[in-house]
Amino acid sequence: MDYTAKLDDALNRLHEEGRYRTFIDIERKKGQFPHATWRKPDGSETPITVWCGNDYLGMGQHPVVLEAMHEAIDATGAGSGGTRNISGTTVYHKRLEAELADLHGKEAALLFTSAYIANDATLSTLPKLFPGLIIYSDELNHASMIEGVRRNGGAKRIFKHNDLDDLRAKLEADDPAAPKLIAFESIYSMDGDFGPIEAICDLADEFGALTYIDEVHAVGMYGPRGAGVAERDRLMHRIDIINGTLAKAYGVMGGYIAASAKMCDAVRSYAPGFIFTTSLPPAVAAGAAASVRHLKTDQELRDRHQTQAKILKTRLKGMGLPIIDHGSHIVPVIVGDPVHTKQLSDMLLEGYGIYVQPINFPTVPRGTERLRFTPSPVHGPDEMDRLVRAMDELWSHCALNRAELAG
């Protein structure tokens, strides 16, 4: 077997399809985000504006977060020193879990090193806790949810995206006595559409199912205290397990679930992804706790974020660019071809100093390749003007289709 040749074949397929991903080496500047420095392969440097980051609110540079992290690292050092079961549980971890439980109105919360691991570990563990469990999973759920459901060894049913009739039909087809769980998202990050939370909760009540929601692209940004779309819609009490991240709106790192004390206790006791993973560094936990605490009261920052997204969508629509608008903060511009998407991304970076990563298959279906912009409160009017002008010029330069403009 020529293993090197096989690797070449695999990588060449990505190049031929225009799906090969490249890393852009950037250096963020404290206090200057979304401005950063692009370090090119030839060693030269170029100033850029980041338009595809997940630090949605700029909390990764907020003084309250940095101060908390500095205090913790000065007090405790760098790492946690172990798994949560073996010397890796500190007061910083417990404080953060308490903040998260309070945020979501739950008895407890459980920290993981990422929301991906939280989804994977929890969903793959639940059948151990509920033998015979059937998981009903939205077809557009995140890869971490898909992986957790796939690995759990139990029964699964994939229902059409946000299709309540299909979900009902699948629930009706199964044994009424079987334990059930419906897994879905509040905001699907590639299109920016919302899950029908209340209707899914109604079905869960009718069929005796647990509910599991991924609020990764909503925590910090929606609801009066930033607990997500379920809080905004006053539905948190109807959700059994809430998954969230500390690496997006909260600007740090880590993931978690919030649920009943018994649910969190059982998951922490049975999930290998929790048991055998070194816990978050105390400084990271401290920074995340400070961010969660701050955003519970900073509605003005959330409002500015939504306003920025609305402005960008309105301006791009006004030029006839094919954007998807479901009313969330996600701004996807559909290109529809992987090669053109990569070319646009490269031209924006090299010609305009605008960094937006191409989104291609398998993250999105073939034919829906896109640029996904994430405007934030720290993107000012000048940055917005430069982005809109650049998109207008490049769309014309590449002779891409525009929507028919009204009037």
Side-chain angles (χ1 to χ4, degrees), residues 99-105 219-228 231-232 236 250 291-299 302:
E99 285 285 354
L100 293 168
D102 171 75
L103 175 69
H104 292 290
V219 289
M221 295 171 282
Y222 294 82
R225 297 204 307 160
E231 182 194 31
R232 183 198 70 181
M236 278 199 303
Y250 292 119
S291 187
V292 172
R293 194 178 308 118
H294 175 85
L295 284 177
K296 286 177 180 178
T297 60
D298 197 343
Q299 184 59 40
R302 278 189 282 279

Side-chain angles (χ1 to χ4, degrees), residues 358-406:
I359 308 293
N360 293 325
F361 178 85
T363 308
V364 296
R366 296 181 194 276
T368 69
E369 292 83 3
R370 65 198 64 183
L371 299 174
R372 191 187 68 142
F373 297 95
T374 53
S376 76
V378 293
H379 285 93
D382 290 343
E383 288 88 359
M384 185 84 73
D385 288 342
R386 284 197 294 272
L387 172 63
V388 171
R389 283 198 302 269
M391 287 294 288
D392 190 23
E393 291 172 10
L394 289 180
W395 216 259
S396 297
H397 175 77
C398 296
L400 296 171
N401 290 332
R402 299 184 190 242
E404 291 294 328
L405 302 180

Side-chain angles (χ1 to χ4, degrees), residues 110-168:
L110 189 64
L111 276 176
F112 294 81
T113 49
S114 72
Y116 187 108
I117 299 298
N119 271 333
D120 184 11
T122 302
L123 288 169
S124 63
T125 297
L126 289 174
K128 300 176 187 176
L129 309 176
F130 307 104
L133 179 70
I134 303 170
I135 295 182
Y136 303 80
S137 178
D138 188 289
E139 67 178 345
L140 293 189
N141 277 342
H142 189 265
S144 58
M145 301 175 77
I146 294 170
E147 185 66 11
V149 172
R150 185 189 67 80
R151 289 198 311 107
N152 68 28
K156 64 177 182 293
R157 312 282 186 260
I158 310 301
F159 63 92
K160 296 175 184 175
H161 179 52
N162 282 350
D163 190 327
L164 298 168
D165 291 335
D166 190 43
L167 174 57
R168 170 180 285 279

Side-chain angles (χ1 to χ4, degrees), residues 284-319:
V284 171
S291 187
V292 172
R293 194 178 308 118
H294 175 85
L295 284 177
K296 286 177 180 178
T297 60
D298 197 343
Q299 184 59 40
E300 191 267 340
L301 193 60
R302 278 189 282 279
D303 290 341
R304 281 167 47 205
H305 180 226
Q306 292 294 324
T307 298
Q308 288 290 80
K310 289 174 184 175
I311 290 172
L312 180 57
K313 285 187 283 191
T314 298
R315 295 187 65 177
L316 294 177
K317 281 182 188 176
M319 298 188 303

